[in-house]
Amino acid sequence: MKLFYAKASPFVRKVLVVAHELGLFERIELLPAAAHPINRDATIRAQNPLGQVPTLILDDGTALADSRVICEYLDHLGGGGFFPAPGPARWTALAAQSTGDGLLDAALLCVYETRVRQEGERSPAWVAGQREKIVDALARIEAAAPSLGERVDIASITYGCGLGYLDLRLPDLGWRERAPAAAEWYAGFSARPSMQATRPE
């Protein structure tokens, strides 16, 4: 398998954490890519018309895009059980993943607005709106934190990658002060070998 990736991408990190946890990381060849919302990487586009990372190329040439799809494929391949079987537990896990991914989407939009757009094109109101989404998602993670414990599933992995991305790109948000229970949980979760091995630098 081959994975188009960028080290700073939190969605790539989700995939790599799952791969490490399932013992599949050594089976994946990492292909550095220059994904960008404007200057799109033609190499990725040849496999994924959206030109996004992560994009996973299977051994038979099939291309899988979107971290949710790739993580579920790896879970199936590795028999990890990170995605519960259909039923209430599955819908709860997928809803949590959606909240974590939404936080990441909003954080990325903040980054794009301030780093990709020219200064005269930037919208402070847009950034404020995205930061509101992050704060609301943080409140949901904070409420869930006491029940996370030692769980390692798609919900906890997505939450962990989301909080790590806030550290990387939005440290001024001060998320730990807003979400102390989540901060306490994250301190333990982020020490996992899979999280340490995928830390962006």
Side-chain angles (χ1 to χ4, degrees):
M1 296 180 286
K2 299 178 181 180
L3 182 74
F4 286 102
Y5 87 112
K7 286 191 73 171
S9 166
F11 293 109
V12 167
R13 190 180 190 192
K14 270 180 64 181
V15 168
L16 295 180
V17 169
V18 168
H20 275 284
E21 291 284 349
L22 294 172
L24 297 174
F25 179 74
E26 299 301 327
R27 294 175 57 181
I28 299 174
E29 178 184 351
L30 299 180
L31 304 176
H36 191 277
I38 298 172
N39 304 316
R40 299 168 65 227
D41 188 326
T43 306
I44 311 172
R45 289 170 61 195
Q47 302 292 336
N48 172 3
L50 301 180
Q52 297 172 330
V53 292
T55 295
L56 182 70
I57 311 302
L58 306 186
D59 293 339
D60 67 0
T62 300
L64 301 180
D66 191 286
S67 66
R68 288 167 287 200
V69 175
I70 297 171
C71 286
E72 190 153 7
Y73 172 78
L74 292 177
D75 188 60
H76 169 75
L77 188 65
F82 291 165
F83 290 82
R90 180 177 178 82
W91 316 136
T92 298
L94 293 183
Q97 178 183 216
S98 181
T99 296
D101 281 346
L103 180 150
L104 288 174
D105 284 333
L108 277 169
L109 288 173
C110 287
V111 170
Y112 289 158
E113 190 72 11
T114 56
R115 292 187 175 206
V116 176
R117 285 183 182 270
Q118 299 298 316
E119 189 169 350
E121 300 173 339
R122 297 172 188 165
S123 169
W126 173 269
V127 173
Q130 301 309 313
R131 287 172 74 101
E132 270 190 25
K133 291 180 187 178
I134 295 169
V135 169
D136 288 348
L138 268 175
R140 182 65 59 87
I141 296 171
E142 174 72 357
S147 68
L148 292 175
E150 300 295 320
R151 278 172 44 196
V152 181
D153 59 11
I154 198 56
S156 62
I157 290 169
T158 306
Y159 285 167
C161 291
L163 298 176
Y165 192 70
L166 295 182
D167 280 342
L168 178 69
R169 293 293 191 232
L170 297 173
D172 64 303
L173 190 69
W175 71 264
R176 286 174 174 79
E177 290 71 29
R178 297 173 182 272
E184 182 178 354
W185 167 79
Y186 179 72
F189 190 82
S190 63
R192 295 187 66 81
S194 63
M195 290 291 285
Q196 290 294 309
T198 58
R199 283 178 61 187
E201 299 175 1

